[in-house]
Amino acid sequence: MQTYAQETEASYPYSNGSFAYGITGTCQYNSSLGVVKTNSPTDYTKVGNTVDDIKTAINGQPVSIAIDASQNVFQYYTGGVITDAAACGTSLDHAVVAVGYGTDTTTGVNYFMVRNSWGTSWGVNGFVYLEQTAAPGMCGMN
């Protein structure tokens, strides 16, 4: 069972130990900032791997997903919709959160909006747009 309620990203920003901001070292939990309590590591609903499954899940709440973040197209992402599956990869190595979806008005490409944990200086204010594709999905997200 999880001991503490989760804090928001604003209250407890991500840090890998080398960022100039955030909390490094041991957990510095502040109970007054905890907002979400998870009952157990199995307190979740598994989402199917189709585009429609993911969109339906996002309609209810943000969705935790795993992606391949090891490739340059993701590491150095600065904007637009990632559409090159060959450049993105599918070796899952990073947890992120799918928070929305839409269509790029310039290109007509359907995308998922995904929040990364690397801070707002990465990507588009901390977000990446991944093309909606059949499984395994862009960067393996499906």
Side-chain angles (χ1 to χ4, degrees), residues 26-39:
T26 59
C27 178
Q28 302 295 318
Y29 180 72
N30 180 338
S31 62
S32 69
L33 300 175
V35 295
V36 177
K37 179 75 171 176
T38 304
N39 293 324

Side-chain angles (χ1 to χ4, degrees), residues 10-79:
S11 297
Y12 202 107
Y14 171 82
S15 174
N16 69 357
S18 63
F19 282 110
Y21 60 90
I23 299 170
T24 60
T26 59
C27 178
Q28 302 295 318
Y29 180 72
N30 180 338
S31 62
S32 69
L33 300 175
V35 295
V36 177
K37 179 75 171 176
T38 304
N39 293 324
S40 74
T42 59
D43 188 22
Y44 65 90
T45 301
K46 186 173 180 178
V47 175
N49 67 354
T50 70
V51 168
D52 286 341
D53 290 339
I54 297 167
K55 288 168 69 174
T56 298
I58 290 171
N59 286 337
Q61 63 194 19
V63 176
S64 296
I65 60 171
I67 60 166
D68 183 340
S70 66
Q71 304 302 311
N72 285 342
V73 70
F74 190 87
Q75 295 274 324
Y76 300 105
Y77 173 78
T78 59

Side-chain angles (χ1 to χ4, degrees), residues 102-115:
T103 303
D104 184 292
T105 57
T106 304
T107 63
V109 173
N110 294 324
Y111 62 80
F112 286 111
M113 182 178 184
V114 176
R115 184 181 69 223

